[in-house]
Amino acid sequence: MRGPAETAGTARLRHLLPRRLRRSLRSGVRWKISVAIALVGALVAIALSLVVHNAARVSMLDNARDVQDERIQFVQRQYEARGGNLPIGFKVNDPTLPAELRARVLDGRRATFVSEPSGGVPDIWAAVPLPNGDILSVHTRFTDRSATVMKDLDQALIIGSIAVVFGGSALGVLIGGQLSRRLRKAAAAAREVAQGKTDVRVRDAIGGVVRDETDDLAQAVDAMADALKQRLEAERRVTADIAHELRTPVTGLLTAAELLPPGRPSELVKDRAQAMRTLVEDVLEVARLDSAAERAELQDIMLGEFVERRIAAKASEGVTVQVIHESEVTTDPRRLERILFNLLANAAKHARPPIEVSVEGRVIRVRDHGPGFPEDLLEEGPSRFRTGAADRAGHGHGLGLTIAAGQAQVLGARLTFRNVRPPGAEPGTPAEGAVAVLWLPEHAPTNTGSFPMVRLPGLK
């Protein structure tokens, strides 16, 4: 297995902080709130419209029944007193009289009745029993004026309901937009913290006067980031102190090994002492990179020529170099060389030749033909002291890619890893090799660790 693609502190913060935040932000808080408010507004508007419509209709029908009742009483008095012809609409023993109304009148009661034919205008009935046993009744349709009033009322209710829905949607967009902006700011600040900007505070990033649950989230993230920072800093100090204290005795051990008489035992002792010295130096370098205090010493170089010359100087066997497109870059040659040879050493230990190095513009690719990177390395990023062999003896200490990734970060570059599989192969198909890709930035970081400002056209 091969060292990490980023420093341990950055990797740990990256895994813990932004993933859940990004998943929550991508669910569309603004539109969820807007849709919820619009749905509630629509339901309330529909319910109120139905209540108002029914109440108005019942009230108008009751008024119509009262009018019919007054008319039937007036005509009854006239008919009983003088007889004669009845006004239009009044009949005695009308055969179309509704059965329910007829039953009530036969019981000796004056009554009114509303019949509602399906899809038609309601009919208003009134009936009263006469002394001789006949039934006097009147039948009229629901007035056109009342129907017009109901139609106008329904139209007003529909317009009002639509206005409520759109108003609720606008209110939801405003409320959800404010919450969404605060969450996006919190997520952006959390990503900056995960990238190593420990001075960033999520609470300060979201701002705002009114405090809500977003502030609680921001304070929790800030507290977690502070705790992780303190823990990582403590681990870095311990690692650096241990490595520094081991430096002197290991150097003495290596010097003493040089004084041993020639022979196989002496060679083994020298080899192990040298391996221990290399390990101590690598651990110190990792500790320095973790402290984020390293700064690049920039020079302008021709990238393809630089890679060819350095690999040729090392007389690396089984390594081929192809410059696809030459490019001039501003970078730190010493750190770039460190990254390049750590990638080559990693490929030589864990893969099979040939090892192919290609340079295309600002991109360097190191391709081998081994079994590929482990899946957990590709998913989580490699970690220090984790190698590709169960037995670490003779296979390094898993710090090669840790240092390469740390140096890439100092250069402002990006280091990625992937496996090579046959086209159209299924996920479980064994890899045909591994590719490590170093992406150098267009603008190298300055001595302060920041990136230079780009002058835009037309600005002075």
Side-chain angles (χ1 to χ4, degrees), residues 300-309 326-329 359:
D300 293 333
I301 62 172
M302 301 303 295
L303 185 59
E305 179 185 351
F306 175 84
V307 172
E308 286 182 324
R309 190 171 61 249
E326 182 65 280
S327 176
E328 183 178 3
V329 298
V359 180

Side-chain angles (χ1 to χ4, degrees), residues 54 58 93 97 132 150 188 200 220 276 332-333 402 404 433 443 445:
N54 290 332
V58 169
N93 297 327
L97 190 68
N132 59 1
M150 289 299 302
V200 175
M276 185 176 294
D332 188 330
T402 306
H443 300 284

Side-chain angles (χ1 to χ4, degrees), residues 43-216:
L43 292 175
V44 172
I46 292 173
L48 289 178
S49 298
L50 291 175
V51 170
V52 171
H53 172 85
N54 290 332
R57 190 170 184 275
V58 169
S59 176
M60 296 183 72
L61 288 175
D62 288 342
N63 290 335
R65 294 173 70 167
D66 292 340
V67 171
Q68 290 289 66
D69 186 55
E70 292 176 359
R71 292 180 64 197
I72 197 70
Q73 291 184 62
F74 177 75
V75 172
Q76 177 191 8
R77 288 194 293 270
Q78 288 187 337
Y79 183 75
E80 291 178 350
R82 294 179 290 182
N85 296 329
L86 293 172
I88 298 175
F90 288 83
K91 295 181 180 180
V92 176
N93 297 327
D94 187 354
T96 63
L97 190 68
E100 184 177 350
L101 178 60
R102 184 185 298 275
R104 293 182 182 179
V105 175
L106 291 176
D107 289 340
R109 295 181 296 173
R110 186 180 73 253
T112 59
F113 184 78
V114 177
S115 63
E116 300 185 39
S118 58
V121 179
D123 293 330
I124 312 300
W125 293 81
V128 62
L130 296 176
N132 59 1
D134 293 334
I135 298 177
L136 176 64
S137 63
V138 61
H139 167 219
T140 59
R141 307 296 296 273
F142 199 52
T143 62
D144 293 338
R145 181 175 178 277
S146 299
T148 302
V149 171
M150 289 299 302
K151 184 178 179 180
D152 293 340
L153 177 62
D154 291 341
Q155 185 176 1
L157 291 175
I158 292 174
I159 295 175
S161 299
I162 295 175
V164 168
V165 172
F166 278 99
S169 300
L171 180 62
V173 169
L174 292 176
I175 297 175
Q178 182 181 9
L179 179 59
S180 179
R181 283 192 298 272
R182 289 167 64 85
L183 289 175
R184 282 199 301 269
K185 290 179 180 179
R191 292 190 189 99
E192 292 183 4
V193 173
Q195 292 170 359
K197 299 179 181 179
T198 55
D199 57 333
V200 175
R201 286 293 173 267
V202 179
R203 178 64 188 87
D204 297 335
I206 63 176
V209 178
V210 180
R211 298 179 63 86
D212 55 18
E213 288 79 1
T214 311
D215 296 272
D216 298 335

Side-chain angles (χ1 to χ4, degrees), residues 406-420:
Q407 296 290 7
Q409 188 176 15
V410 175
L411 297 179
R414 183 163 58 98
L415 188 58
T416 61
F417 305 92
R418 66 180 178 87
N419 288 336
V420 179

